[in-house]
Amino acid sequence: MVRHRRRLNAIRHYRFLRFTSRHWRMRLVFWGGALTVGLVSIVFATLATHAESLFHRVLFNPWVALIVTPVGFLISVFVARAVFPGSEGSGIPQAIAARRFRDPETRQKLLSLRLTFGKILLTLFGLACGASIGREAAPKLLGGASASVLAGWGGLSPQQRRLLVACAGGAGLAAVYNVPLAGALFTAEILIGSITLPVMLPAIACSWIATATAWIYLPHHATYIGIPDYRFTGSLMTWSLLAGPVIGLISAGYIRLIGWVSHHRARGTRALFAPVAAFGILGVIGIWYPQLFGNGLDMARDAFLGVGSLALLLALFALKPLVTAMCLASSASGGLFTPTLSTGAVLGGALGIAWNLAWPGSPSGAFAMVGAAAMIGAAMQAPLSGLALVLELTHSGFGLMVPMMAATLIATLVAFHVDGYSIYSARLPAYTADSAPADGRP
């Protein structure tokens, strides 16, 4: 009897050690993935800043940009198709598709280091040429690809691997833009589609570790510096309730535009001429509206500060989605987050200026912040991520929380009932059709 108990205790002790060993190995892989994302985000963010600064130097003469932009993107598209096929567009549909496929070879193809390196290189080149694209796609995809490699080394299960890839993708956003909470929410709302404790705990851990690691070199301050702490007013609250449906309908149209150009990208011989035409148009328009060059960060900052007339903001609101869609249709490699945010900011600022003619009381910058949160939340179909992004990007806006929540909620509901797609899911069918092999079964 005593011998049996000793044997039973030994078996229990062995199982306990194996259980703790397996779980600690998973934790170490997750932490290692987050550290890796933070380190590579430092490199990418630094290179992206230099690439954008290079194009700003070109803008001393807008006519030079008229030549640099189309020629540069002709080279970019040629390299993308000849050397890095599948690197076009945003990396978010690619990360989502990788989680949906069961075949390990298909997932590995979507998250290969070669493809990730190509997307980074082409995104940097696009930023240096003034393309209307965001720079967040590459670090998200790089985080997912790095996590996929580490998961293979750590022997994680398929479910743990998918969770790690999603958490690393959100951590890439968190580290590059210094938005740890938004990065964790982005993982849960968009990459996984579930806000539960088993999802949020690793998402939060990866985002804060990656962000803290990036602080070794990257600045700690907000992306948009100097934004005033706007205060709540009855005028702004009423406007938010009325503007929410309008922004929701506009977001639905924007999503359809992104989906349409993704399904009708230039192919064959046209793919060589489309970049010249698209970016030639961007170069011409940029002579009068240089704010359209780049991802729209400066455009959103001016709107948050209340800079710009009604006519200018309306023009930027109408043109920014069009030039962004042209970049995507021409197979440019880059993200959609910042262009979408800046579109919402100038839209909110323009509507706010018009509203102040009837009911003055709030500066146009406050309307711009509400419009940005509502637009990005509705376009991504992720209201919590949209709210957290605006707050963390500006380190301001807490006084506007109630009107921001109201506008974001209404806009997201309207966009959801119109289509139910987001700027990422609308591109997913076309992306998987182009990227997945014939035997890959979702």
Side-chain angles (χ1 to χ4, degrees):
M1 187 69 177
V2 175
R3 184 180 301 176
H4 176 72
R5 287 182 178 177
R6 289 178 179 175
R7 183 178 180 184
L8 183 61
N9 289 334
I11 293 174
R12 289 175 177 173
H13 181 66
Y14 170 75
R15 288 179 177 176
F16 173 77
L17 290 177
R18 192 175 67 172
F19 173 82
T20 54
S21 174
R22 184 174 68 249
H23 277 68
W24 274 108
R25 182 176 59 185
M26 184 185 72
R27 293 189 183 110
L28 290 175
V29 171
F30 268 72
W31 296 343
L35 286 170
T36 303
V37 171
L39 293 174
V40 297
S41 296
I42 293 175
V43 177
F44 175 78
T46 303
L47 294 175
T49 300
H50 286 305
E52 291 174 338
S53 299
L54 178 63
F55 183 75
H56 283 257
R57 295 175 188 173
V58 174
L59 276 181
F60 76 93
N61 186 347
W63 294 100
V64 176
L66 182 60
I67 300 174
V68 171
T69 301
V71 173
F73 260 85
L74 178 61
I75 299 173
S76 176
V77 171
F78 176 78
V79 173
R81 293 182 176 274
V83 184
F84 303 108
S87 61
E88 305 89 347
S90 170
I92 306 305
Q94 191 170 349
I96 296 174
R99 293 191 69 254
R100 293 188 177 184
F101 280 100
R102 299 175 184 175
D103 182 17
E105 294 183 2
T106 305
R107 290 199 302 266
Q108 185 62 31
K109 178 183 177 182
L110 293 171
L111 294 176
S112 68
L113 292 178
R114 172 187 171 87
L115 187 63
T116 302
F117 175 77
K119 182 171 286 294
I120 293 174
L121 181 64
L122 294 173
T123 299
L124 294 173
F125 192 77
L127 293 173
C129 295
S132 179
I133 54 174
R135 66 181 189 176
E136 80 284 350
K140 293 174 190 173
L141 185 60
L142 181 59
S146 303
S148 180
V149 173
L150 290 174
W153 291 346
L156 300 187
S157 66
Q159 183 178 3
Q160 292 170 339
R161 181 192 295 263
R162 289 193 293 268
L163 178 60
L164 177 58
V165 168
C167 290
L173 171 69
V176 169
Y177 284 100
N178 190 23
V179 288
L181 177 59
L185 290 172
F186 186 92
T187 298
E189 283 191 296
I190 297 175
L191 296 180
I192 296 181
S194 173
I195 301 180
T196 59
L197 196 61
V199 170
M200 288 305 303
L201 287 180
I204 291 173
C206 285
S207 289
W208 81 258
I209 291 174
T211 305
T213 304
W215 282 353
I216 296 174
Y217 183 79
L218 299 181
H220 303 186
H221 58 69
T223 300
Y224 299 100
I225 304 175
I227 307 301
D229 190 12
Y230 296 114
R231 304 177 64 180
F232 172 87
T233 64
S235 172
L236 181 62
M237 185 71 232
T238 306
W239 177 88
S240 299
L241 295 173
L242 297 175
V246 177
I247 297 176
L249 290 174
I250 292 173
S251 298
Y254 180 75
I255 293 169
R256 288 191 177 189
L257 175 63
I258 296 300
W260 189 87
V261 298
S262 300
H263 286 73
H264 296 83
R265 290 201 306 262
R267 292 177 171 83
T269 308
R270 292 187 303 164
L272 297 178
F273 299 99
V276 177
F279 293 101
I281 295 173
L282 174 59
V284 172
I285 299 175
I287 295 175
W288 292 276
Y289 298 103
Q291 300 92 333
L292 297 175
F293 289 117
N295 60 4
L297 189 145
D298 294 334
M299 194 170 81
R301 179 187 292 113
D302 290 343
F304 292 153
L305 293 173
V307 177
S309 63
L310 176 60
L312 175 62
L313 294 178
L314 286 176
L316 294 177
F317 157 68
L319 293 173
K320 187 62 176 179
L322 295 180
V323 296
T324 301
M326 284 194 302
C327 291
L328 292 178
S330 300
S331 300
S333 180
L336 290 170
F337 155 62
T338 310
T340 305
L341 181 81
S342 61
T343 301
V346 294
L347 171 61
L351 295 178
I353 293 175
W355 178 261
N356 273 331
L357 298 177
W359 189 351
S362 294
S364 63
F367 296 97
M369 292 188 66
V370 175
M375 182 78 177
I376 192 66
M380 296 193 307
Q381 285 293 290
L384 291 177
S385 299
L387 291 168
L389 279 168
V390 173
L391 294 176
E392 289 190 299
L393 287 171
T394 62
H395 288 188
S396 179
F398 292 97
L400 306 178
M401 179 58 73
V402 173
M404 274 202 296
M405 290 179 67
T408 304
L409 169 65
I410 297 172
T412 305
L413 280 174
V414 171
F416 175 77
H417 284 291
V418 171
D419 267 339
Y421 289 100
S422 71
I423 53 176
Y424 303 123
S425 62
R427 307 187 65 229
L428 190 57
Y431 188 87
T432 54
D434 290 344
S435 304
D439 57 349
R441 292 181 302 127

